[in-house]
Amino acid sequence: REFAVTISMAILVSGFVSLSLTPMLASRFLRAGRQGKKGEGGKPQSENGWFFGGMLKVYERLLHLVLRFRLATMAVFLVLLAATGYLYTLVPKGFIPSEDRGMFLAYCLADQGISFEDMKRHMLVVSQVISSDPDVAGAMPVVGAMGPMNSGVLFVLLKPSEERKAGPDQIIARLWPQVGVLPGIMTFMQNPPPIQVGTTSGKAAYQYTLVGTDAGDLYPAAQKLTGQMRGLPLVRDVSSDLMIDSPQLKLVIDRDKAATLGVSAQAVEEALGSAFASRQVSTIDAATDQYKVIVELDPDYQRHPEDLSWLYIKSSRGQLVPLPVLARFQRELGPLQVNHFGQLPAVTISFNLQPGVSLGDATTAVQKLSQQILPATVSGSFQGTAQEFQKSMTSLLLLLLMALAVIYLILGVLYENFIHPVTILAGLPSAAFGALVTLLVFGRQLDLYGFVGIIMLIGIVKKNAIMMIDFALEAEREQGLNPREAIFQGGITRFRPIMMTTVAAFAGILPIALGIGAGGGARQGLGLAVCGGLLVSQLITLLITPVIYTYFDELSHRLGGKDRAGEDEMTPAEPAPQTTI
């Protein structure tokens, strides 16, 4: 939205300047002696324009050729139109490109029954491996911050960009084989996108959520799908939040025996809380500070389940009763956490992409796999960034069609004609063709920025056709030329301003295509799409648009019931008087 507002306001201001300030400046700076002279056919020839003069001669010969072989030119146009549609299906699709922000995240996952001390030890090992990279400044591990005790996250800080040779994605690819072989813990590294979308998060960048009414069908299907996804060559770092196999120690109280000995269930609960829950029982107030009094067992007696046999419960008679006398201990497996989505049991599978793989290809592969594995009672859908990516592909195509429709309506009103706006818009697929080819050549994905660049190309490219067609229509009305002669003169006369405006636009967008500046790599797709679209569309519109104009002009006169032959015999109207300033 900010991009659109900036472009729109710049166009409005520049339009006002062009209609007011530019004519005034022209009246002050232009001189009659510097206008050059006119050659044959009314074509302007500048004395110092040898470069443009040579280009103009080449263009004139090519324009003669395409107007002579109109059917072949239209065949090339149709092939180009079909190739544009094919390239759109071929180019890899992305969403929000990664950006070098000087940091990345590493999520860690261990066994469900791991203790805090063991998890801390494993994460310190991961932190040491990551910190040993020459481009890493340091890593801060946090245990249990993003979920249960068996998970953690490392905030990895990179050295300043001028002191390192690689970006976050390259560093992650370099570290992945080293952290992937560490025993007892799994590490999932990701460079978070600059724009966070969606509310669902996981240990990887993308999420696929399974929902079912029956947990008995959901959990086995989720485990099977997670295992199959780990075998997909397009994704990596596959994990799920399904934690139903956590070791648990169940305490079963003998109520009758406890009542006989005068011990209540509440007394047992309070004893266990005081022993293991870091219970605060008092506060010591000092002159300058306060100190919390915490009751707990010595850490040496908190490590093994057998230590519970040393715990005594105080009865109502004031006696100490050993806990094994009142209860028995039962080992079992149970859920560490139970997740829901829309009030139904749910399992979220997280995954990252392999280097060089597009998000569109990965989501397609995951969807096909889920259709083969999931039963009818379990449904799956992408969440978070992956979900927004699927929505964006539909919404951006709709936005592109809406932009074309608005442009057609405005041009139809201005020209008071239904055919000529189609002639102007017919050259736009060549811009998309050039943008897609450029992205493929440079190995870039068609991401959000690249799609915005294609939409922006509509406004830049259509002015080439407008310049030629506007001149041709004026030549038909004022000079009585037939459509072929009129569009030929329009192309030759407007060749110089078309080249000037295209070169200026190309030069302005080139720094973005080169990725110059902080975070330039993320915006590079936009610059490449615009530069490639300008180069290809410049050649196509200069040659194919005149041919399309002749066909559509004939169609316009047929629909209007006019006789072209009779019209050519009409006496042309006298041209308006010219004034030299």
Side-chain angles (χ1 to χ4, degrees), residues 99-180:
E99 185 175 314
D100 188 352
R101 298 192 292 170
M103 57 84 64
F104 65 87
L105 301 177
Y107 294 96
C108 298
L109 184 65
D111 293 334
Q112 298 180 28
I114 194 171
S115 65
F116 175 82
E117 293 296 331
D118 289 341
M119 186 66 187
K120 174 183 174 182
R121 185 177 66 255
H122 283 304
M123 290 198 64
L124 287 176
V125 174
V126 177
S127 177
Q128 291 174 0
V129 172
I130 294 178
S131 300
S132 64
D133 190 273
D135 290 334
V136 174
M140 183 183 70
V142 181
V143 177
M146 306 296 291
M149 191 61 64
N150 69 326
S151 64
V153 61
L154 283 91
F155 298 90
V156 183
L157 180 64
L158 305 180
K159 293 180 180 180
S161 57
E162 61 272 9
E163 299 180 12
R164 51 184 167 89
K165 300 180 180 180
D169 295 327
Q170 291 76 25
I171 296 174
I172 290 175
R174 191 166 60 203
L175 287 172
W176 189 72
Q178 303 179 36
V179 301

Side-chain angles (χ1 to χ4, degrees), residues 341-577:
F341 184 82
Q343 299 182 352
L344 293 175
V347 178
T348 298
I349 302 175
S350 302
F351 62 93
N352 286 326
L353 306 180
Q354 291 283 4
V357 176
S358 67
L359 181 56
D361 295 338
T363 53
T364 302
V366 171
Q367 280 184 326
K368 290 182 179 179
L369 184 62
S370 64
Q371 292 173 359
Q372 299 173 2
I373 294 178
L374 297 182
T377 57
V378 179
S379 61
S381 62
F382 288 99
Q383 302 296 326
T385 304
Q387 181 187 37
E388 295 301 324
F389 162 74
Q390 290 186 321
K391 292 181 179 178
S392 68
M393 288 294 100
T394 303
S395 60
L396 286 174
L397 286 175
L398 180 61
L399 180 62
L400 180 61
L401 295 177
M402 291 178 60
L404 294 175
V406 171
I407 293 174
Y408 173 80
L409 292 176
I410 293 177
L411 292 177
V413 172
L414 295 178
Y415 281 105
E416 298 182 358
N417 188 284
F418 293 103
I419 301 297
H420 295 311
V422 179
T423 309
I424 295 172
L425 296 177
L428 296 182
S430 62
F433 177 83
L436 296 176
V437 168
T438 305
L439 293 176
L440 283 176
V441 169
F442 285 90
R444 301 284 301 193
Q445 300 179 5
L446 179 59
D447 52 32
L448 185 64
Y449 295 157
F451 216 112
V452 170
I454 293 178
I455 295 176
M456 189 172 68
L457 272 174
I458 297 176
I460 299 177
V461 171
K462 73 177 188 302
K463 54 86 182 173
N464 295 347
I466 291 177
M467 287 185 182
M468 291 188 292
I469 293 174
D470 189 70
F471 182 92
L473 292 175
E474 189 72 15
E476 284 190 59
R477 289 192 297 263
E478 301 296 335
Q479 302 178 26
L481 301 179
N482 61 52
R484 189 174 301 189
E485 294 176 351
I487 194 63
F488 179 82
Q489 293 296 332
I492 298 301
T493 305
R494 297 295 172 89
F495 177 77
R496 188 182 185 94
I498 288 175
M499 292 297 298
M500 291 171 61
T501 54
T502 302
V503 170
F506 183 88
I509 206 71
L510 186 61
I512 300 179
L514 296 177
I516 298 176
R523 302 185 299 269
Q524 195 171 15
L526 186 149
L528 290 174
V530 175
C531 288
L534 285 175
L535 289 177
V536 176
S537 65
Q538 182 74 358
L539 177 64
I540 299 300
T541 55
L542 284 175
L543 296 177
I544 294 183
T545 299
V547 176
I548 297 176
Y549 173 81
T550 58
Y551 277 113
F552 277 119
D553 191 86
E554 294 174 1
L555 177 62
S556 176
H557 284 82
R558 289 177 183 177
L559 295 177
K562 296 179 181 180
D563 185 3
R564 167 56 63 189
E567 186 178 279
D568 290 341
E569 296 175 358
M570 295 175 59
T571 303
E574 295 184 3

Side-chain angles (χ1 to χ4, degrees), residues 318-339:
Q319 299 175 348
L320 294 178
V321 181
L323 183 59
V325 176
L326 303 172
R328 57 185 175 88
F329 307 111
Q330 182 178 338
R331 295 175 181 267
E332 61 182 22
L333 298 178
L336 187 62
Q337 63 182 17
V338 178
N339 300 296

Side-chain angles (χ1 to χ4, degrees), residues 192-347:
I195 304 175
Q196 297 288 344
V197 295
T199 57
T200 303
S201 61
K203 298 175 181 61
Y206 309 104
Q207 293 80 39
Y208 188 71
T209 300
L210 305 180
V211 179
T213 56
D214 186 2
D217 295 336
L218 173 65
Y219 293 158
Q223 291 175 337
K224 184 177 180 181
L225 180 60
T226 302
Q228 293 290 334
M229 284 181 60
R230 291 194 174 111
L232 290 177
L234 303 181
V235 299
R236 69 180 185 184
D237 300 338
V238 180
S239 64
S240 72
D241 60 357
L242 180 61
M243 299 182 183
I244 58 175
D245 296 328
S246 176
Q248 296 181 354
L249 188 65
K250 187 175 181 180
L251 184 66
V252 182
I253 302 175
D254 190 339
R255 302 279 179 161
D256 296 335
K257 186 180 292 187
T260 303
L261 297 174
V263 178
S264 63
Q266 182 179 359
V268 177
E269 181 181 356
E270 290 178 355
L272 293 175
S274 299
F276 302 103
S278 300
R279 178 183 176 189
Q280 179 182 351
V281 296
S282 179
T283 302
I284 300 177
D285 296 322
T288 59
D289 207 345
Q290 288 184 337
Y291 301 91
K292 297 179 180 180
V293 180
I294 305 297
V295 176
E296 64 178 1
L297 286 177
D298 188 275
D300 293 336
Y301 294 95
Q302 297 183 11
R303 298 176 179 176
H304 306 286
E306 292 78 9
D307 293 336
L308 288 172
S309 61
W310 297 96
L311 193 62
Y312 287 78
I313 311 298
K314 187 175 182 179
S315 67
S316 58
R317 303 185 184 93
Q319 299 175 348
L320 294 178
V321 181
L323 183 59
V325 176
L326 303 172
R328 57 185 175 88
F329 307 111
Q330 182 178 338
R331 295 175 181 267
E332 61 182 22
L333 298 178
L336 187 62
Q337 63 182 17
V338 178
N339 300 296
H340 289 79
F341 184 82
Q343 299 182 352
L344 293 175
V347 178

